[in-house]
Amino acid sequence: MSLKQRITDDTKEAMRSRDKERLACLRLISAAVKQQEVDSREELNDDQLLALLDKMAKQRRESISQYQKGGREDLAAKEQAELDLIQCYLPEQLSIDE
């Protein structure tokens, strides 16, 4: 199953279970994928999709840092939840020892 199909299936499952926070984040991911496909005028393959998700994860990490510096723990928690969901689609990172 492709990564794009997995995201679509998870979106449908979030709709069925009425998980609003997870659904909102999945829709955010889907919107970014669609935007990238429109911009490049081609369908993204799994490698391109992983690069996009990695970019989104990096943006979330930077946002969390900025929100924490500004004392906005509520917004930092929201970004952390989005980051956690994005990371479940990314492959495991190797540790320093590996």
Side-chain angles (χ1 to χ4, degrees):
M1 175 185 315
S2 73
L3 187 56
K4 187 175 176 181
Q5 183 62 42
R6 189 172 142 210
I7 292 170
T8 302
D9 291 346
D10 288 349
T11 302
K12 290 176 186 177
E13 183 59 36
M15 282 182 202
R16 286 186 200 108
S17 65
R18 299 177 195 255
D19 187 353
K20 291 181 182 180
E21 294 168 4
R22 183 174 172 84
L23 179 61
C25 186
L26 287 166
R27 284 182 173 163
L28 189 79
I29 293 170
S30 296
V33 170
K34 295 244 190 260
Q35 183 63 45
Q36 186 70 28
E37 288 178 343
V38 167
D39 290 347
S40 66
R41 296 181 186 205
E42 62 183 29
E43 190 168 333
L44 297 180
N45 61 29
D46 280 352
D47 292 334
Q48 293 168 321
L49 190 54
L50 286 174
L52 177 64
L53 289 172
D54 191 43
K55 180 180 171 187
M56 291 176 73
K58 182 179 178 186
Q59 289 171 340
R60 297 303 176 284
R61 284 188 209 99
E62 291 172 359
S63 295
I64 290 168
S65 172
Q66 293 298 317
Y67 287 142
Q68 288 174 339
K69 286 179 186 175
R72 296 296 308 262
E73 294 301 321
D74 56 330
L75 294 174
K78 180 179 179 278
E79 292 289 323
Q80 183 63 49
E82 290 178 5
L83 177 61
D84 292 342
L85 183 66
I86 291 169
Q87 285 179 331
C88 79
Y89 295 107
L90 292 172
E92 282 292 318
Q93 300 292 322
L94 292 176
S95 67
I96 293 172
D97 295 337
E98 294 173 332

